[in-house]
Amino acid sequence: MEFSFYKYQGTGNDFIMIDDRVENFPEKDLHLVQNLCDRKFGIGADGLILIRNKEGFDFEMIYFNADGSQSMCGNGARCAVAFSKFLGIISDQTSFMAIDGPHTANIEDELISLEMSPVNSLSNAGQDYFVNTGSPHHVRFVEDVITYPVVEAGKAIRYSEVYQPKGTNVNFITPISENEIHVRTYERGVEDETLSCGTGVTACALVYGYQNELNEVKIKTPGGNLSVNFTSAADGSFQNIILTGPAQQVYQGKWKSK
């Protein structure tokens, strides 16, 4: 088997992108997905994304984590939008389908603004929070996220009994200013810290915005800067959630199976 691929990154969250509108990629072969995402023996990435045709939409994003599991991915979706523009499928606006339902997005000045799915509520997890933004996220405030043991603490929470059997992503927050936070994330499916997580920073922005009565939060991650805008309702739900940040093509190549 031989196919072309492209590598994209969104604030350091990197993805293998494949134009699969002819549906040749064997999506059930999770071992192949794992091999492609392997940083030593494959291309190397946090996830793999297939772009396919979808009736009623510009395209469909099929997303796999590096371990072959599936979920919504905010940074991956922003990269999928940029890739779809590169392929000529869209111009500067789009409506597409993902695992958690339909999304819209627009491109302006090389920034991708992605509408996330509505969030019904935030819930307490002890002194922490739990938010589902298309993927499950545990959110914890810490005094200094720069020195905090993200991998060790994140792994313990991810595999804790309360989140079994599927586990959760884990985010750690330190406020920087009135409307800006610093976030680091341990990602389920990657099983390590990633430089950025779109659904994770969205969850963190909703929690911080809820606590401080904000409707826009800026986020600093190890991989770059993002922002999240949203509106909150009296019933505790959140709508019009927009995740904004850059997405860039890094390189392209050809994969030949052995």
Side-chain angles (χ1 to χ4, degrees), residues 13 46 65 67 135-140 145 148-160 166-173 183-197 199-201 204 222:
N13 216 183
D46 292 328
N65 291 305
D67 68 353
S135 293
H137 285 276
H138 186 102
V139 176
R140 171 175 292 179
V145 75
Y148 196 78
V150 166
V151 174
E152 293 82 357
K155 185 179 292 187
I157 296 170
R158 182 260 192 266
Y159 286 103
S160 62
K166 293 186 177 180
T168 184
N169 302 284
V170 188
N171 307 270
F172 302 94
I173 303 176
V183 174
R184 292 174 64 191
T185 302
Y186 179 93
E187 273 203 64
R188 177 189 72 165
V190 179
E191 305 310 332
D192 202 351
E193 180 181 5
T194 54
L195 294 181
S196 175
C197 174
T199 54
V201 301
C204 293

Side-chain angles (χ1 to χ4, degrees), residues 60-81:
E60 180 176 16
M61 176 184 84
I62 311 289
Y63 174 75
F64 297 91
N65 291 305
D67 68 353
S69 61
Q70 291 188 270
S71 64
M72 173 55 185
C73 179
N75 285 333
R78 293 190 305 99
C79 287
V81 171

Side-chain angles (χ1 to χ4, degrees), residues 18 30-31 65 72 87 95 102 112 116 128 142 179 189 202 204:
I18 298 173
L30 301 186
H31 185 64
N65 291 305
M72 173 55 185
L87 294 175
S95 172
I112 314 294
M116 305 290 284
D128 302 338
V142 298
N179 68 339
T202 300
C204 293

Side-chain angles (χ1 to χ4, degrees), residues 84-242:
S84 295
K85 181 175 180 179
F86 170 78
L87 294 175
I89 299 172
I90 65 169
S91 53
D92 291 330
Q93 293 184 328
T94 183
S95 172
F96 68 96
M97 181 62 74
I99 193 170
D100 63 335
H103 293 264
T104 60
N106 65 72
I107 305 172
E108 185 175 355
D109 297 330
E110 298 185 353
L111 293 177
I112 314 294
S113 293
L114 168 72
E115 183 177 15
M116 305 290 284
S117 295
V119 172
N120 292 330
S121 65
L122 311 178
S123 58
N124 291 102
Q127 294 183 326
D128 302 338
Y129 289 86
F130 176 80
V131 190
N132 193 316
T133 53
S135 293
H137 285 276
H138 186 102
V139 176
R140 171 175 292 179
F141 286 85
V142 298
E143 186 173 340
D144 183 9
V145 75
I146 295 175
T147 59
Y148 196 78
V150 166
V151 174
E152 293 82 357
K155 185 179 292 187
I157 296 170
R158 182 260 192 266
Y159 286 103
S160 62
E161 185 176 348
V162 68
Y163 288 121
Q164 292 307 305
K166 293 186 177 180
T168 184
N169 302 284
V170 188
N171 307 270
F172 302 94
I173 303 176
T174 297
I176 298 173
S177 65
E178 182 179 317
N179 68 339
E180 186 175 12
I181 56 178
H182 192 164
V183 174
R184 292 174 64 191
T185 302
Y186 179 93
E187 273 203 64
R188 177 189 72 165
V190 179
E191 305 310 332
D192 202 351
E193 180 181 5
T194 54
L195 294 181
S196 175
C197 174
T199 54
V201 301
T202 300
C204 293
L206 296 181
V207 169
Y208 191 69
Y210 166 76
Q211 289 184 335
N212 295 277
E213 298 184 347
L214 301 171
N215 58 16
E216 179 179 6
V217 178
K218 297 178 180 179
I219 305 101
K220 177 181 179 182
T221 73
N225 299 321
L226 295 153
S227 66
V228 178
N229 298 273
F230 52 90
T231 57
S232 53
D235 64 359
S237 64
F238 300 88
Q239 292 84 30
N240 306 314
I241 305 169
I242 306 295

